[in-house]
Amino acid sequence: MTIEPDTGGTDTVFHGYFRSSAAYRCRIAFNLKGFAPAQRFVHLRKGEQKSAAYKALSPAGLVPALETPRGVLTQSLAIIEWLDETMPDPALLPADAWTRAKARAFAQTIACDIHPVNNLRILGYLKTPLGHDQATVDTWYRHWIAEGLSAAEALAQDAGGHGSFLFGDAPGLAEICLVPQLYNARRFACPMEAYPRLLAVETACNALPAFADAAPDRQPDAEG
Amino acid sequence: MTIEPDTGGTDTVFHGYFRSSAAYRCRIAFNLKGFAPAQRFVHLRKGEQKSAAYKALSPAGLVPALETPRGVLTQSLAIIEWLDETMPDPALLPADAWTRAKARAFAQTIACDIHPVNNLRILGYLKTPLGHDQATVDTWYRHWIAEGLSAAEALAQDAGGHGSFLFGDAPGLAEICLVPQLYNARRFACPMEAYPRLLAVETACNALPAFADAAPDRQPDAEG
């Protein structure tokens, strides 16, 4: 089932990359909403995000970008909140303002504190011009994962949930940020045993087709 | 004038630091709303954010944190959106969903793409353990400022505004993120001439007491 918000439907194009966790977040949200824009793939390791054509869409040269008849929207969290406001069912944020704030804070702990400092462009800068080897880059990566996921685990425990999800009976923005970050943590062989609540929530999420189908290795542009 | 949302009024405590731009964002929002929580100061350069007492409030060991009778809220953008939802006047986001999404995307271009990679803890890691000198750290800082502000300037130009503010007739979340980031850019002597629209908006903002009074050098914990 595909339901379209007021974007001109099939005129809407999502620009992503299979391994971008910001694009992965959007894919989960799209699946939960039953929203299916056309897809274009921006090969980050080939530097396609730095092309003039792509930067005309996204001045930061980052994925994702959602191209609609109304204009282009960047930033995964802004895209997801826009979708949630224009296609309210199912809701991706709790109805109560306080719980909604806690869910946003959890999401931002990942989207502001972890993801940006481990982004491809940052790891690239550590190698060139800074001259660090892969082992040093990996240590950097794991350091910020451990700092951030420890905080996320504490926030998750504080949310007091013993159910399947963090802030209610269904997954939303918090889980949408969590699952791609845990995927990345595993890819860099980060120790995971200190995050039992996060892992339990991840398991519940990945049992849902909306999450499973959004995984990097299931995307058309996936590489080994 | 002080108006209080449903937080228990004077029982609400804001934990910040004069130079933290995430705290600076919150201070601007509080001033625009006429919200005046009690203040506590967390001295980041002395490492007070790493104390057990502070990490009990904010597991990430980052400022700001807003301690309310209902619990503690972290993440500046979550705090500001919560305040905007519980104290709607004046609105900090545009009423139209698309424009609101553009304003959030602008804010996140700063809060997700620039600020996290130039945060104190990141600059500290570049020095120890990575062993870089201040000049290399400064070059790192200016590189990410230039990348991010160039994108922000393009988004600002694209918003088409010739008025004082980015997405409407009054400042909101976008300006709340912009002004502290420009303050930081100047502190690190970043070239600023490529951002005429951002600078014009900054000038309009800083003419308002809500912005001017939130500046780092006007805070009780300010140091030279």
Side-chain angles (χ1 to χ4, degrees):
Chain A
M1 185 184 62
T2 299
I3 304 165
E4 305 282 357
D6 63 344
T7 58
T10 53
D11 291 341
T12 297
V13 180
F14 180 67
H15 299 260
Y17 178 64
F18 75 112
R19 263 191 193 139
S20 156
S21 64
Y24 186 176
R25 291 174 201 151
C26 290
R27 294 195 300 262
I28 298 167
F30 295 168
N31 291 346
L32 287 168
K33 295 287 190 184
F35 172 55
Q39 291 198 67
R40 297 285 180 278
F41 305 105
V42 184
H43 201 302
L44 299 191
R45 291 207 174 267
K46 291 181 181 168
E48 290 178 0
Q49 72 279 19
K50 296 173 189 164
S51 72
Y54 187 72
K55 290 189 87 166
L57 289 175
S58 170
L62 296 170
V63 294
L66 188 69
E67 192 179 0
T68 84
R70 181 127 186 216
V72 180
L73 196 54
T74 57
Q75 294 292 335
S76 62
L77 298 188
I79 291 169
I80 293 166
E81 291 231 21
W82 171 78
L83 192 69
D84 200 38
E85 292 179 356
T86 54
M87 290 182 69
D89 187 41
L92 300 182
L93 285 166
D96 166 68
W98 177 261
T99 314
R100 188 159 57 249
K102 298 289 275 187
R104 283 195 180 114
F106 182 93
Q108 291 164 14
T109 294
I110 291 169
C112 300
D113 294 348
I114 304 179
H115 175 67
V117 300
N118 280 344
N119 214 341
L120 184 62
R121 61 185 188 149
I122 305 294
L123 306 184
Y125 193 104
L126 291 172
K127 291 183 180 173
T128 309
L130 293 189
H132 294 294
D133 60 14
Q134 188 63 46
T136 302
V137 170
D138 288 349
T139 299
W140 165 285
Y141 196 101
R142 291 177 194 133
H143 175 77
W144 300 115
I145 287 282
E147 287 276 311
L149 290 185
S150 298
E153 174 73 15
L155 294 175
Q157 299 274 355
D158 179 62
H162 302 284
S164 297
F165 305 110
L166 290 162
F167 297 99
D169 296 333
L173 186 66
E175 289 83 2
I176 284 169
C177 289
L178 174 64
V179 168
Q181 192 60 67
L182 294 180
Y183 171 91
N184 280 348
R186 279 206 191 77
R187 205 159 73 82
F188 276 77
C190 299
M192 303 293 278
E193 63 276 5
Y195 321 119
R197 177 67 182 145
L198 301 183
L199 297 182
V201 172
E202 180 197 33
T203 299
C205 289
N206 279 332
L208 303 173
F211 282 81
D213 293 345
D217 58 5
R218 295 205 189 173
Q219 304 316 303
D221 61 328
E223 297 170 356
Chain B
M1 183 184 63
T2 300
I3 304 166
E4 305 283 356
D6 62 346
T7 60
T10 53
D11 291 341
T12 297
V13 180
F14 180 67
H15 299 260
Y17 179 63
F18 75 111
R19 263 191 193 138
S20 156
S21 64
Y24 187 176
R25 292 174 201 152
C26 290
R27 293 194 301 262
I28 298 167
F30 295 168
N31 291 347
L32 287 168
K33 295 287 189 183
F35 172 56
Q39 291 199 67
R40 297 285 180 279
F41 305 105
V42 184
H43 201 301
L44 299 190
R45 291 207 175 268
K46 291 181 181 168
E48 292 178 358
Q49 72 279 19
K50 295 174 188 164
S51 71
Y54 186 72
K55 290 190 87 166
L57 289 175
S58 169
L62 297 170
V63 294
L66 188 68
E67 190 179 3
T68 85
R70 181 128 185 215
V72 179
L73 197 54
T74 57
Q75 294 292 336
S76 62
L77 298 188
I79 290 169
I80 292 165
E81 290 231 21
W82 171 78
L83 192 69
D84 201 38
E85 292 180 355
T86 54
M87 291 183 69
D89 187 41
L92 300 181
L93 285 166
D96 166 67
W98 178 260
T99 315
R100 189 160 56 248
K102 298 289 274 188
R104 283 195 180 114
F106 182 93
Q108 291 162 15
T109 294
I110 291 169
C112 300
D113 293 349
I114 305 179
H115 176 67
V117 301
N118 280 345
N119 214 343
L120 184 62
R121 61 184 188 150
I122 305 294
L123 307 184
Y125 193 104
L126 291 172
K127 291 183 180 173
T128 310
L130 293 188
H132 295 294
D133 60 13
Q134 188 63 46
T136 302
V137 170
D138 288 350
T139 300
W140 166 286
Y141 196 101
R142 290 175 194 135
H143 175 77
W144 301 115
I145 287 281
E147 289 275 312
L149 289 186
S150 298
E153 175 73 15
L155 294 174
Q157 299 274 356
D158 179 63
H162 302 283
S164 298
F165 304 110
L166 290 162
F167 298 99
D169 295 333
L173 186 66
E175 289 83 2
I176 284 170
C177 290
L178 173 64
V179 168
Q181 191 61 66
L182 294 179
Y183 171 90
N184 279 348
R186 279 204 192 77
R187 206 159 72 82
F188 277 76
C190 299
M192 303 293 277
E193 62 276 6
Y195 321 119
R197 177 67 182 145
L198 301 183
L199 297 182
V201 172
E202 179 195 35
T203 298
C205 288
N206 280 332
L208 303 173
F211 282 81
D213 294 345
D217 58 5
R218 295 206 189 172
Q219 305 315 304
D221 61 329
E223 296 170 356

